[in-house]
Amino acid sequence: MKTVHNFNAGPAALPPEVLQQIQEEILDLQGTGLSILEISHRSKEYEKINGETQQLLKDLLNIPHEYEVLFLQGGASTQFAMVPMNFLKSGSVASYIHSGTWAGKAIAEARKFGEVAIVASSEKDHFKKLPALDNLKLPSGTAYIHLTSNETIAGTQYKYFMEPQDVPLIADMSSDILSRTIDVSDFDLIYAGAQKNLGPSGVTVVIVRSELLKRISTTIPDIMNYRIHADSRSLYHTPPVFAVYIVNLVLKWIQANGGVRGVELWNRAKADLIYRTIDGSDNFYSGLADRDSRSLMNVTFRTSNEELEKHFLLESERNGFVGLRGHREAGHLRASIYNAITYDQCKALSEFMKDFQKRFA
Ligand code: PMP
């Protein structure tokens, strides 16, 4: 098999052990004689996977008992609409932190449902850094605050969050959930598409404080109602069983690798290695995000000109590095180094970058 280092931003690399296990179990799920793809979501086998996966997530993130864990469909983009649909009532205001493309999409969706206030923004800095979270002036009647913990395209990530406020805090953690320890009790709702750190696309994890579910207006469609999903333990309708099964395997893999704290240590070492390569390159490479806002998950960088960048991509692909092209909206280069990317793969990338520099500086 060809050795490929997969730096894609999402869907992204999965741990090889997990892929192997999927292959082994695809025809016979744990001695049932059936494939996970052909069993009922009401079967005891799936009930076990559903319950166990929720519990694994609770254990790994230390989720307090007053929270619900949901497995929904429609990607994080559906959450952009579901959040205001459930919590932005007429007469109230939703306060958003505008930190980049993904926050911008969440804001645009919320505006379709009611009044939105941008309480902090780094748009004038072209989202190279994250807006500060202290001294926010929240309009009266704020229903919730929304932030994006990691901007996948700009390559920025909050290191700290705000002090607890009187209003619910909602976070899109699609591109950094389970990459580092967080205190779930600082948040009232967290959502994340699975296809970066949790598994394949097709399932979105929602962690929500039970108390918040009481505020949901009853006039929204059931399929969009968090309370309906919570009451039915994510079995209101046919869930994405295959995706949840893979999340289950990925969570067990994280558990076996030292839990969130274990992967966080590696993630810090991996990011540090690549940023040091960029910073030590005498400006041959430069980082796109301000140092203080740099992401441990998506390292965005550039070379001095477009021709060189094209050549970098061509050569990197020839050498087995895939997914290094930046997002179409940001351009340039990006290495996404989620949990499943190893330190050795980052080392291989760093060595490739140094060698490329030697030949083209
Ligand atoms: N939020 C963030 C931070 C993302 O990175 C992405 C996807 N890259 C999304 C939301 C949208 O996710 P989806 O494609 O699952 O709707």
Side-chain angles (χ1 to χ4, degrees):
M1 221 168 81
K2 204 172 143 195
T3 306
V4 169
H5 303 298
N6 178 1
F7 291 95
N8 273 310
L14 285 164
E17 298 92 324
V18 166
L19 294 174
Q20 185 90 39
Q21 192 172 347
I22 298 167
Q23 186 188 38
E24 282 162 16
E25 292 186 339
I26 193 75
L27 295 178
D28 179 6
L29 178 72
Q30 293 149 17
T32 55
L34 293 165
S35 169
I36 175 69
L37 297 170
E38 56 184 5
I39 57 172
S40 166
H41 57 292
R42 310 271 174 216
S43 65
K44 65 177 186 328
E45 289 82 10
Y46 185 72
E47 278 278 351
K48 179 171 172 262
I49 291 173
N50 187 37
E52 190 180 87
T53 313
Q54 289 176 21
Q55 194 55 48
L56 280 162
L57 205 60
K58 285 181 182 168
D59 293 346
L60 283 167
L61 279 176
N62 240 328
I63 301 176
H65 70 270
E66 66 271 20
Y67 284 75
E68 304 274 354
V69 173
L70 312 178
F71 301 126
L72 307 183
Q73 301 190 55
S77 302
T78 300
Q79 296 306 306
F80 295 162
M82 255 175 100
V83 165
M85 249 181 169
N86 280 265
F87 305 117
L88 180 52
K89 299 212 176 94
S90 102
S92 62
V93 189
S95 290
Y96 276 73
I97 313 292
H98 193 4
S99 52
T101 306
W102 293 112
K105 288 189 192 253
I107 291 164
E109 285 300 87
R111 285 198 166 122
K112 294 175 186 159
F113 295 95
E115 198 185 330
V116 170
I118 310 294
V119 290
S121 170
S122 52
E123 193 168 12
K124 67 172 186 351
D125 300 305
H126 308 286
F127 303 120
K128 285 182 189 308
K129 62 179 189 182
L130 288 162
L133 296 178
D134 42 6
N135 300 321
L136 297 179
K137 302 257 175 312
L138 300 179
S140 70
T142 287
Y144 62 85
I145 308 173
H146 178 285
L147 63 80
T148 310
S149 58
N150 185 83
E151 283 283 356
T152 324
I153 295 175
T156 56
Q157 182 181 31
Y158 275 109
K159 312 257 174 316
Y160 310 99
F161 300 102
M162 61 259 279
E163 292 292 309
Q165 314 271 327
D166 298 339
V167 292
L169 178 59
I170 296 181
D172 173 2
M173 292 197 186
S174 294
S175 46
D176 67 350
I177 192 164
L178 282 174
S179 66
R180 57 170 170 175
T181 51
I182 52 159
D183 189 346
V184 171
S185 65
D186 288 346
F187 301 88
D188 296 274
L189 189 149
I190 293 169
Y191 61 88
Q195 65 268 27
K196 297 157 198 308
N197 268 331
L198 292 173
S201 58
V203 62
T204 307
V205 166
V206 174
I207 301 164
V208 56
R209 196 190 286 276
S210 311
E211 198 55 34
L212 198 62
L213 299 175
K214 296 185 185 147
R215 302 190 187 187
I216 296 170
S217 96
T218 49
T219 52
I220 57 174
D222 285 356
I223 191 75
M224 294 296 184
N225 189 320
Y226 291 114
R227 200 172 53 226
I228 300 278
H229 290 289
D231 288 349
S232 56
R233 292 173 300 108
S234 303
L235 290 166
Y236 162 68
H237 70 141
T238 316
V241 292
F242 191 44
V244 174
Y245 157 73
I246 300 174
V247 170
N248 179 290
L249 301 185
V250 171
L251 297 181
K252 285 180 182 156
W253 176 85
I254 294 176
Q255 209 172 41
N257 281 277
V260 179
R261 206 169 280 287
V263 293
E264 175 173 7
L265 285 176
W266 282 113
N267 286 336
R268 291 192 184 280
K270 281 151 50 183
D272 187 51
L273 181 63
I274 300 181
Y275 284 122
R276 268 194 287 126
T277 309
I278 293 168
D279 295 339
S281 72
D282 279 334
N283 295 324
F284 182 81
Y285 302 108
S286 46
L288 295 185
D290 277 12
R291 279 178 196 239
D292 291 349
S293 296
R294 281 174 167 178
S295 167
L296 300 181
M297 295 283 98
N298 310 98
V299 179
T300 49
F301 61 107
R302 58 185 297 175
T303 61
S304 56
N305 68 69
E306 222 173 288
E307 273 314 298
L308 202 55
E309 246 157 53
K310 277 195 194 139
H311 203 66
F312 180 96
L313 287 170
L314 207 69
E315 282 224 10
S316 62
E317 270 164 35
R318 276 196 202 125
N319 284 277
F321 299 94
V322 301
L324 291 172
R325 188 188 298 278
H327 188 274
R328 60 187 187 284
E329 283 176 27
H332 305 297
L333 305 165
R334 170 175 59 175
S336 295
I337 50 174
Y338 303 120
N339 289 348
I341 296 290
T342 64
Y343 184 82
D344 284 350
Q345 288 180 301
C346 292
K347 200 155 168 221
L349 175 62
S350 162
E351 273 155 22
F352 168 79
M353 287 168 71
K354 285 181 191 162
D355 180 62
F356 185 83
Q357 179 183 350
K358 245 187 235 148
R359 288 183 292 120
F360 293 94

